[in-house]
Amino acid sequence: MNVLVVIAHPDDEALGCGGTIAKLAEAGATVDVLLPLRRCDPRGRATWDQLLTAFSRSCRILGARQLIPDSPMDETDAEPRPHILHDLILPWIERADLVLTHWPGDVNQVHRGVARAVEIATRPFRRRIDVSCFEVPTSTDQAFGVGGLPFVANEHVVHDATHARLKTEAAATYGSELVMGRRPEDVERSLRARGASIGVPFAEAFAVARRFR
């Protein structure tokens, strides 16, 4: 199984689906994490090298391969030019059996641009690829929602303590990004909350966007 995780920023892979990446990799899937954009805000530019180092460490912890295009797009172009981003990510999309990416109603506009590009690239009349959307703290949970509707989980991935620990460790590599809601203790709390909602110790929640299997 070839799994592609398409993210807007370094740390989204850990926060959004780190436990699922670890679980799939442990089960023998090839998991690639694609970072097609570069930060353009002042803080992001100042810490970009550190963020890329943390991204590399996070992927190693989770058992995934990091993918960064030779010429990534500026993140400010993601939402207004999703067709260009689509062209950039398409070669990796075409090799995937499952794509995990952002919820299109996130408050972060770069997340929305990435989700839109994946939506375009996975139109069923061209290719049939399963797609699930993950939630990212301080973005998915703080948006108005698509058409007035918030993120609604209709898929859960159950994790054991090892998967939960790996997700938390991966998120903790991003020292500059550990604000309220994204700290290791917050990540564990979210895993427990999603798990409690289905009667297990730990889980991650997704919204199914496309499913053919």
Side-chain angles (χ1 to χ4, degrees):
M1 185 178 187
N2 295 315
V3 181
L4 180 68
V5 183
V6 187
I7 58 172
H9 309 102
D11 83 352
D12 289 333
E13 80 291 342
L15 295 169
C17 57
T20 299
I21 292 174
K23 184 171 185 175
L24 289 169
E26 181 185 66
T30 298
V31 185
D32 293 321
V33 181
L34 175 60
L35 175 63
L37 304 171
R38 56 174 168 260
R39 291 268 294 265
C40 294
D41 60 293
R43 184 169 65 85
R45 287 198 302 267
T47 61
W48 188 240
D49 288 343
Q50 296 96 304
L51 287 171
L52 290 183
T53 298
F55 177 55
S56 179
R57 291 177 58 198
S58 171
C59 288
R60 286 199 303 272
I61 289 169
L62 299 174
R65 302 187 304 193
Q66 60 174 358
L67 297 176
I68 302 176
D70 293 335
S71 299
M73 283 179 61
D74 288 345
E75 66 174 2
T76 52
D77 290 332
E79 188 174 36
R81 303 174 70 192
H83 58 293
I84 304 298
L85 181 56
H86 157 272
D87 293 345
L88 181 61
I89 68 176
L90 184 58
W92 290 286
I93 291 280
E94 290 184 322
R95 296 197 291 266
D97 302 305
L98 168 67
V99 176
L100 305 178
T101 195
H102 294 278
W103 171 243
D106 277 9
V107 72
N108 188 293
Q109 63 185 353
V110 185
H111 293 189
R112 295 197 299 268
V114 169
R116 177 60 173 155
V118 172
E119 180 183 21
I120 296 169
T122 60
R123 286 175 293 177
F125 86 99
R126 292 193 181 279
R127 52 192 64 90
R128 293 180 176 84
I129 299 170
D130 292 346
V131 181
S132 289
C133 300
F134 50 71
E135 53 185 348
V136 175
T138 75
S139 184
T140 311
D141 53 344
Q142 296 183 15
F144 290 155
V146 177
L149 295 175
F151 177 90
V152 176
N154 57 10
E155 179 179 55
H156 290 79
V157 178
V158 176
H159 297 315
D160 60 23
T162 298
H163 305 138
R165 176 181 56 79
L166 291 172
K167 175 185 174 80
T168 303
E169 286 183 5
T173 64
Y174 294 97
S176 63
E177 308 301 299
L178 299 182
V179 298
M180 181 73 74
R182 294 170 171 237
R183 302 167 304 177
E185 59 267 33
D186 301 322
V187 172
E188 181 177 346
R189 189 177 299 116
S190 176
L191 283 163
R192 290 186 180 278
R194 283 302 190 183
S197 71
I198 59 169
V200 299
F202 304 103
E204 285 176 324
F206 296 85
V208 174
R210 306 196 194 282
R211 191 64 85 241
F212 301 97
R213 297 171 181 80

